[in-house]
Amino acid sequence: MSLTARALLLDMDGTLVNSDAVVERYWRIWADEQGLDPEQVLKVVHGRQGHATMAALLPDRPVERNLADNRWMLERETTDLDGVVPVPGAAAFMAALAALPHALVTSADEALARARMGAAGLPMPEVRVTAERVGASKPDPEGFLKGAAELGFAPADCVVFEDSEAGIAAGRAAGMRVVGIGPRAGAHAPDAHVRDLEQVRIEALPDGTMRLHFSR
């Protein structure tokens, strides 16, 4: 199977970087403090900004408390990089993309994105849409639409790489095709689904487009 695109929009956590160990560590602490079942909380945390997840789990909780907890979590996750590793194939994937249009679109803020990409040994894309640059978290499509606009391409010309339900929904809402990465993505019917980035090959075409090849 293959897809063609003019630009790629890349999620970070679970797509380029495996940060599950850190994410789960701090969300378990938070869930215990709120009297929530950590296993149930972990089912919904991936792909969203932290305060948006908190609002979904505790809809009557004051926004200020969610924002404060979100700041606490970001501070700790930015300095705790134990267990942060690249998704298999990520280094070669990013190297193949170096001269092609692409952007990072992540629910992490700039500091956390730099910390995790650095810990994984991956280059930071020149174009990136981090948490500070959007008014609404995934599954809202704002981040992907901003990424496409900065690269100068229409949504239909872009392909999103995502691992989470919220991220896949955001890509679809933006009018883009979506490649699902890893086990979480398979249940949400992306246009293509791969185990990891080792199953993706990028072919640059003479007309400036790229063809994405997916292996099993």
Side-chain angles (χ1 to χ4, degrees):
M1 179 184 178
S2 66
L3 294 173
T4 56
R6 292 193 172 277
L8 302 188
L9 301 175
L10 313 172
D11 174 52
M12 181 180 70
D13 292 302
T15 300
L16 298 173
V17 174
N18 182 343
S19 56
D20 283 3
V22 180
V23 171
E24 294 186 5
R25 196 148 54 234
Y26 289 100
W27 277 104
R28 285 182 184 280
I29 293 170
W30 184 87
D32 285 338
E33 289 176 347
Q34 310 311 315
L36 299 173
D37 179 354
E39 299 307 320
Q40 295 304 311
V41 169
L42 291 176
K43 290 180 180 179
V44 298
V45 301
H46 297 286
R48 305 171 189 261
Q49 292 184 36
H51 63 84
T53 297
M54 295 169 192
L57 290 165
L58 297 171
D60 297 327
R61 195 170 192 251
V63 172
E64 294 76 15
R65 288 189 64 191
N66 293 339
L67 292 173
D69 283 4
N70 189 58
R71 285 192 295 273
W72 175 89
M73 198 170 288
L74 284 173
E75 287 169 4
R76 278 146 188 82
E77 289 187 353
T78 300
T79 56
D80 183 353
L81 301 172
D82 185 24
V84 175
V85 295
V87 166
F93 177 81
M94 294 300 288
L97 266 183
L100 299 171
H102 67 285
L104 189 72
V105 181
T106 175
S107 294
D109 65 8
E110 178 82 12
L112 182 57
R114 286 188 176 278
R116 285 187 176 160
M117 291 289 280
L122 300 175
M124 275 290 272
E126 182 177 336
V127 177
R128 50 193 178 271
V129 181
T130 54
E132 304 96 326
R133 299 201 48 218
V134 296
S137 173
K138 300 171 186 176
D140 190 282
E142 180 184 0
F144 287 126
L145 292 172
K146 279 193 171 181
E150 283 206 27
L151 291 171
F153 294 99
D157 290 329
C158 299
V159 169
V160 164
F161 279 69
E162 265 286 0
D163 73 301
S164 70
E165 179 180 9
I168 291 170
R172 280 215 191 91
M176 301 173 185
R177 291 157 294 157
V178 181
V179 177
I181 307 293
R184 282 190 290 268
H188 307 293
D191 295 278
H193 180 231
V194 293
R195 179 192 66 243
D196 54 43
L197 293 170
E198 288 184 337
Q199 294 185 309
V200 182
R201 181 171 65 85
I202 299 171
E203 178 189 5
L205 301 176
D207 64 356
T209 62
M210 59 188 100
R211 182 172 289 128
L212 309 172
H213 299 274
F214 307 107
S215 61
R216 292 292 178 185

